């Protein structure tokens, strides 16, 4: 399973990159706003800065337009910024048309804001590179987000659909581990979820004991 980081924070992207396990980045307009990135030129520069940190990984940059012509215009500009850019398009009617267009032009896409299997099927039929089911937001409203990931993985495998399942809106380490069990292609999560995988109290206690025993004889 590929690990993407779900942030527009350059420090956190660098930290995950330095860990050596990062395969890509997802951003969205809310994450960009959280970092105070505003204005067309600054937004574009920020995407290029992210690409330069995560060498070789796919970087999702989301369009703001919601009509076909606007999505295509914006997406083509974003895709031309850097070869690692993946155009992130919302799951709406014109979004699906635009994904089909981008796919015919060889431009990678990430279909975002997916909340059911029917939407995921449409995204794959249109030729999306990635589909992003938001599992945490479903859990937030007492729906089963992991069940949706499982359903989409099953449908895609059944028909050999090449669209990659990018589990998004991940809230904690168990979400991440369960996505790996289910067979999601990618999980995008905040840095604390990735680093949370490092932690186990028995690891800490075991290491403290090893170091103490070594120090007893070696000073
Ligand atoms: C996905 O690409 C989105 O950016 C993200 O995972 C949304 O997560 P949230 O529900 O924590 O905002």
């Amino acid at each position: 399973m590929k690990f993407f980081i779900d942030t527009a924070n350059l420090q956190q992207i660098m930290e995950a990159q330095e860990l050596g396990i990062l395969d890509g980045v997802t951003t969205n307009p809310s994450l960009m706003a959280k970092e105070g990135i505003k204005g067309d030129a600054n937004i574009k520069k920020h995407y290029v800065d992210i690409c330069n940190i995560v060498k070789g990984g796919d970087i999702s940059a989301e369009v703001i337009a919601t009509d076909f012509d606007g999505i295509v215009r914006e997406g083509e500009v974003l895709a031309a910024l850097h070869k690692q850019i993946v155009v992130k398009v919302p799951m709406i009617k014109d979004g699906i048309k635009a994904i089909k267009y981008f796919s015919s032009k060889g431009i990678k896409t990430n279909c975002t804001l997916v909340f059911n299997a029917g939407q995921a099927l449409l995204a794959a039929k249109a030729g999306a590179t990635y589909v992003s089911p938001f599992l945490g937001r479903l859990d937030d409203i007492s729906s089963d987000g992991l069940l949706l990931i499982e359903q989409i993985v099953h449908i895609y495998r059944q028909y050999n659909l090449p669209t990659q399942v990018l589990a998004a809106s991940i809230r904690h380490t168990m979400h991440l581990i369960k996505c790996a069990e289910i067979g999601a292609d990618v999980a995008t999560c905040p840095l604390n979820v990735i680093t949370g995988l490092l932690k186990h109290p028995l690891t800490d206690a075991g290491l403290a004991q090893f170091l103490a025993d070594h120090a007893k004889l070696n000073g």
Side-chain angles (χ1 to χ4, degrees):
M1 187 171 70
K2 287 186 229 167
F3 277 23
F4 286 5
I5 189 168
D6 196 26
T7 184
N9 182 288
L10 297 183
Q11 284 306 115
Q12 292 186 10
I13 294 169
M14 258 182 253
E15 194 177 328
Q17 173 68 13
E18 279 163 13
L19 203 52
I21 49 77
L22 192 63
D23 299 301
V25 180
T26 50
T27 61
N28 64 38
S30 305
L31 293 171
M32 294 290 276
K34 194 171 162 196
E35 300 309 316
I37 316 297
K38 59 177 180 186
D40 204 41
N42 288 331
I43 290 173
K44 286 178 184 147
K45 181 185 175 301
H46 202 75
Y47 288 137
V48 174
D49 288 346
I50 294 174
C51 291
N52 288 333
I53 296 171
V54 188
K55 295 192 175 55
D58 279 350
I59 312 301
S60 287
E62 189 159 340
V63 297
I64 304 299
T66 53
D67 63 293
F68 176 78
D69 290 337
I71 296 173
V72 165
R73 217 173 17 250
E74 225 184 295
E76 284 181 330
V77 170
L78 289 171
L81 286 177
H82 199 284
K83 62 179 187 313
Q84 287 167 240
I85 294 284
V86 172
V87 181
K88 202 171 180 190
V89 180
M91 165 43 74
I92 52 175
K93 197 182 201 178
D94 282 28
I96 287 298
K97 289 186 197 166
I99 287 170
K100 181 75 187 174
Y101 169 84
F102 288 134
S103 139
S104 75
K105 298 282 173 197
I107 293 174
K108 286 187 180 180
T109 52
N110 174 357
C111 184
T112 190
L113 291 167
V114 165
F115 292 95
N116 69 37
Q119 294 179 321
L121 193 52
L122 264 184
K125 294 281 289 177
T129 314
Y130 297 101
V131 67
S132 288
F134 279 32
L135 76 99
R137 290 192 194 187
L138 280 171
D139 285 5
D140 289 346
I141 57 158
S142 310
S143 267
D144 192 338
L146 285 166
L147 192 64
L148 174 61
I149 306 290
E150 206 170 339
Q151 226 182 347
I152 299 172
V153 166
H154 175 74
I155 293 170
Y156 284 8
R157 302 277 143 88
Q158 182 142 291
Y159 293 101
N160 285 322
L161 295 169
T163 301
Q164 296 179 54
V165 180
L166 194 170
S169 183
I170 287 181
R171 303 264 190 265
H172 48 71
T173 51
M174 273 317 285
H175 271 160
L176 185 51
I177 293 164
K178 286 285 172 195
C179 283
E181 265 181 39
I182 290 167
D185 301 284
V186 189
T188 189
C189 27
L191 181 63
N192 69 308
V193 174
I194 298 175
T195 54
L197 293 178
L198 289 164
K199 291 178 196 151
H200 198 288
L202 290 179
T203 303
D204 297 341
L207 182 60
Q209 185 69 57
F210 288 158
L211 295 179
D213 289 343
H214 176 82
K216 268 186 225 156
L217 292 187
N218 299 280

